[in-house]
Amino acid sequence: MGKKNLNIHFSLVAGAALAALLVTALAVFMFGEYSRSTTSPVSGRLTVGADRALQDIVRRLGDSFSSYYTEASISVEQGVSPDIFSGFASGRLSSAMLHGGLTRQEKALLEKQGRSFRCEPVARNAAVVVANADAGLTSLDFEYLRALSAGKGESRELRLFLDRRDLRFHYLLLRLLDTGLDRLVAHTVSGPRALVDTVASDRRAIAVLPLSDALAELAERPEGPDRPVLVPLSAAALAPLYPDQSSIYAESYPLVYTICYLYDTHDALATGFGAWMARQGQKTFMRSSLAPFRIPERRIELQEE
């Protein structure tokens, strides 16, 4: 009798476990079906990875997109550029905004992992030089900056500083300067704020960082004789140029690069947001410190009287 009761008890437990498993499986299936049915190129939820300097423009782009497509919600995850890429490579993020395009190593990693991806150029940015206003540096020759980054410019008594955390920007700058070396010779500190602090306290220091980072930091600095300032660059016997929107869009400023929107092509909303950003979203870039990748078309209708 005890054995029979034990068998009945075991059967009830097994039956309950099986029922729970079926309920769980059904819930997962229904959630997956619900997610697929409510996610489209213009609906659902999307998180875009971006560094501190790009998060504001991504947020504005997301708000503008959501004003057109009210069933879409775009949020931003802030991080250092290498961590943002790692988040995408691991599958934790399905989209990200990156300075510059993908490197060969990054492409190889994504392909090895079997990730479906596209890197869409959506805007233009620039690497800029920041110096102490009291240093009297009215402009900087591009060739001298190249020499300095290769460790050959000590006679001018300037010291180059870079953000040690952002290795992606180091590789990008290495390509832009095209020194022929596989590394940059520079002092390093941690983060854009530390870069600008260093320049503010050292007249010999110059920092190279993305324009979007530089403007974000300079906007928080009070006026003063040692206030860090943007330094125009001169190249090929041309007049020194400031990195403004027109010189960046025309690529007449020497250190221009693209902002890349990296996304998973299997994610419907990430794909829809990228397509919108490459067209209608260009107007939002025009109202920022970045330059658009392309000038939006404007239609002018002439009416005959």
Side-chain angles (χ1 to χ4, degrees):
M1 184 69 179
K3 185 175 181 181
K4 184 177 180 181
N5 288 338
L6 182 63
N7 289 338
I8 293 173
H9 178 69
F10 177 80
S11 298
L12 290 173
V13 171
L18 180 60
L21 182 62
L22 289 173
V23 169
T24 302
L26 181 61
V28 170
F29 174 79
M30 292 300 292
F31 177 78
E33 289 299 308
Y34 175 79
S35 297
R36 282 191 288 271
S37 65
T38 57
T39 300
S40 75
V42 295
S43 65
R45 293 180 178 274
L46 175 68
T47 299
V48 183
D51 67 17
R52 176 180 179 271
L54 294 178
Q55 66 171 338
D56 180 61
I57 184 66
V58 173
R59 189 171 289 111
R60 280 187 280 160
L61 286 162
D63 290 346
S64 181
F65 184 80
S66 296
S67 70
Y68 280 94
Y69 307 107
T70 56
E71 295 184 1
S73 175
I74 311 294
S75 60
V76 186
E77 179 178 311
Q78 181 188 332
V80 183
S81 290
D83 294 339
I84 292 298
F85 173 77
S86 296
F88 181 87
S90 67
R92 185 175 57 80
L93 292 171
S94 58
S95 62
M97 291 281 271
L98 299 175
H99 294 277
L102 294 174
T103 66
R104 289 194 300 272
Q105 294 86 349
E106 289 170 339
K107 286 180 180 178
L109 176 62
L110 294 177
E111 290 168 354
K112 182 179 180 180
Q113 294 179 337
R115 290 301 308 275
S116 60
F117 67 93
R118 178 177 172 81
C119 197
E120 180 78 26
V122 293
R124 290 179 171 91
N125 202 1
V128 299
V129 177
V130 176
N132 190 302
D134 205 29
L137 192 62
T138 57
S139 67
L140 189 68
D141 181 72
F142 177 71
E143 291 302 321
Y144 172 68
L145 180 60
R146 290 183 65 194
L148 188 63
S149 69
K152 302 176 182 178
E154 292 298 327
S155 62
R156 292 276 292 273
E157 297 186 347
L158 289 178
R159 299 191 299 163
L160 175 63
F161 284 82
L162 298 173
D163 180 358
R164 73 167 60 98
R165 300 182 308 173
D166 198 349
L167 293 179
R168 289 198 80 259
F169 184 71
H170 289 206
Y171 294 129
L172 174 60
L173 188 59
L174 192 62
R175 294 200 305 269
L176 292 172
L177 291 172
D178 192 22
T179 62
L181 303 178
D182 60 358
R183 67 185 183 92
L184 297 170
V185 179
H187 305 273
T188 60
V189 294
S190 185
R193 180 157 299 176
L195 281 176
V196 179
D197 285 341
T198 300
V199 168
S201 61
D202 185 353
R203 296 181 185 181
R204 292 181 56 204
I206 63 170
V208 178
L209 64 166
L211 174 63
S212 43
D213 279 289
L215 292 179
E217 291 298 332
L218 294 179
E220 300 178 5
R221 303 281 164 161
E223 295 290 339
D226 60 350
R227 184 178 187 269
V229 293
L230 292 178
V231 177
L233 284 179
S234 59
L238 299 176
L241 281 173
Y242 277 99
D244 57 22
Q245 196 174 69
S246 60
S247 65
I248 292 173
Y249 179 77
E251 298 189 1
S252 51
Y253 181 79
L255 296 175
V256 174
Y257 61 86
T258 59
I259 296 294
C260 166
Y261 174 64
L262 176 65
Y263 65 95
D264 186 338
T265 55
H266 289 166
D267 187 302
L269 182 53
T271 301
F273 186 48
W276 177 88
M277 199 187 311
R279 289 173 172 77
Q280 295 96 321
Q282 294 295 295
K283 296 177 182 178
T284 304
F285 286 114
M286 290 181 70
R287 294 189 290 269
S288 73
S289 62
L290 302 175
F293 188 74
R294 59 180 62 85
I295 298 294
E297 294 182 2
R298 296 181 179 179
R299 296 183 179 180
I300 301 176
E301 296 183 0
L302 300 178
Q303 297 181 349
E304 296 182 2
E305 295 185 359

